[in-house]
Amino acid sequence: SQSRDICTSLQDGLLKVTTEMQTVSAWRTYYQYHSDYVSAEGKLKEAEKQEEKHKTGAKKLERLIEKRQVKVKDIYLKCSKARNDYLLNLSAANASVNKYYLQDISTLIDCADTGYHLTLSRVMQAYLSSRMKAQQNLTTGLQQLQGAVSALDQSHDRDTLLQDHYNAFSMPLRFNYQPHDEDQVTEVSAESEMICELDTRFKQIRTRLKALTDDTEEVKNHTSQVLLIDCICEDDLEISPVAQESSSESVSVRPSVARRKTNLQELENVYFTVS
């Protein structure tokens, strides 16, 4: 409301000044007096010419000239005053117009300002601050994730697992020999009639032990060759176009469906065999 009142007051002042230039009689009065002055001066010059023609006995003409001189002087003063009023009004009007267009318009715009620029600036600053904070958090999270990925160590995790579950994975106590009653024999005895049987059992145990050792080595070697990554579906490692544009890394592991199924079956067999 106050801004509207100021705007109305300034515009009314400008309108009043420009209207006065057209309605007030300052310039009309100046024009009229100047016309009268030109006319009176012309009549005075005409009388002076007549006086030159009649150099003697022209008292009546002399009084006429004096009368016209007084009239010219009087009209000249009135004309000068009217001209001054007209020039002052004209200067005031021009000053008012200049002030309105060079100063008041900017003031009116400032008065009509509802704080748009300040509000927009604060909103955008808050948005940018939030986005920058989110970007910083994302960068920090990616760095932490990269550090965690780089720190992956299967051997260390295995040793940690065994240490944390020591009771579950520690070697149990040996089975001790418990003789019956008063039997004093504590070692395997090989009497003549038992040598062949013990030798046969020894060979069987050695063969069985060798087979178990070979199976263990095969499982170990096969486990190192069959990777879990080979069992992941292509779609699981597919990167969207947006992600590809924002990252320079790409996944090159893309096994065929048949190979993936085969590797998955082999990996399951390995774990089932080990378990």
Side-chain angles (χ1 to χ4, degrees):
S1 177
Q2 185 177 3
S3 299
R4 189 184 303 110
D5 293 340
I6 295 175
C7 179
T8 302
S9 176
L10 292 175
Q11 291 179 345
D12 288 345
L14 179 63
L15 181 62
K16 180 180 179 181
V17 171
T18 55
T19 302
E20 287 178 352
M21 287 298 301
Q22 300 177 358
T23 59
V24 177
S25 59
W27 65 277
R28 291 190 180 90
T29 303
Y30 159 66
Y31 279 19
Q32 182 63 45
Y33 280 134
H34 189 267
S35 298
D36 294 343
Y37 170 73
V38 172
S39 177
E41 190 178 29
K43 291 180 180 181
L44 176 60
K45 290 180 179 180
E46 183 180 354
E48 290 176 347
K49 289 180 180 180
Q50 291 179 1
E51 183 183 15
E52 291 179 358
K53 293 179 180 180
H54 305 84
K55 295 183 179 180
T56 58
K59 292 183 179 180
K60 184 177 180 180
L61 189 58
E62 290 178 0
R63 287 195 297 270
L64 178 62
I65 291 175
E66 291 177 357
K67 183 179 179 181
R68 289 185 176 180
Q69 286 177 343
V70 172
K71 185 176 182 180
V72 167
K73 184 177 180 180
D74 182 60
I75 295 176
Y76 177 77
L77 292 175
K78 292 180 180 180
C79 179
S80 297
K81 182 179 179 181
R83 185 193 301 110
N84 291 337
D85 290 341
Y86 173 58
L87 291 174
L88 290 174
N89 290 338
L90 188 64
S91 177
N94 289 329
S96 297
V97 172
N98 290 340
K99 179 178 180 298
Y100 179 80
Y101 283 97
L102 297 180
Q103 298 180 11
D104 294 345
I105 287 181
S106 298
T107 302
L108 292 176
I109 294 176
D110 293 340
C111 291
D113 181 23
T114 57
Y116 170 78
H117 292 80
L118 179 61
T119 303
L120 179 62
S121 175
R122 290 184 177 179
V123 170
M124 294 307 298
Q125 286 293 341
Y127 171 76
L128 292 174
S129 177
S130 175
R131 295 295 298 175
M132 292 177 65
K133 184 64 176 178
Q135 184 65 31
Q136 291 176 356
N137 292 338
L138 177 60
T139 302
T140 302
L142 291 177
Q143 291 176 349
Q144 293 176 350
L145 182 59
Q146 180 64 43
V149 172
S150 301
L152 288 176
D153 187 347
Q154 187 271 339
S155 299
H156 178 269
D157 291 344
R158 178 202 60 200
D159 295 340
T160 302
L161 174 66
L162 295 176
Q163 184 176 2
D164 292 344
H165 301 82
Y166 176 79
N167 293 332
F169 296 104
S170 61
M171 182 180 296
L173 298 176
R174 293 174 57 85
F175 296 102
N176 294 324
Y177 173 66
Q178 297 179 359
H180 178 265
D181 202 2
E182 297 180 357
D183 189 2
Q184 300 297 323
V185 180
T186 59
E187 296 179 354
V188 177
S189 60
E191 297 180 0
S192 58
E193 63 272 13
M194 299 175 59
I195 292 177
C196 293
E197 181 182 354
L198 290 176
D199 184 61
T200 301
R201 293 190 62 184
F202 172 75
K203 291 179 180 179
Q204 291 176 348
I205 292 174
R206 185 174 60 183
T207 302
R208 177 60 178 166
L209 180 61
K210 184 177 183 304
L212 291 175
T213 302
D214 294 341
D215 291 343
T216 302
E217 289 295 329
E218 181 180 358
V219 170
K220 180 179 179 181
N221 295 333
H222 193 68
T223 303
S224 63
Q225 296 175 0
V226 180
L227 301 177
L228 185 61
I229 190 65
D230 294 332
C231 303
I232 299 178
C233 179
E234 293 183 15
D235 295 337
D236 297 334
L237 299 179
E238 187 69 26
I239 299 180
S240 63
V242 176
Q244 289 179 352
E245 293 178 359
S246 61
S247 175
S248 59
E249 298 181 357
S250 61
V251 178
S252 59
V253 181
R254 297 182 181 275
S256 64
V257 177
R259 180 185 173 189
R260 184 178 66 85
K261 291 182 179 180
T262 302
N263 291 338
L264 181 60
Q265 184 64 42
E266 291 179 357
L267 188 63
E268 290 177 353
N269 293 335
V270 168
Y271 280 106
F272 290 156
T273 302
V274 173
S275 60

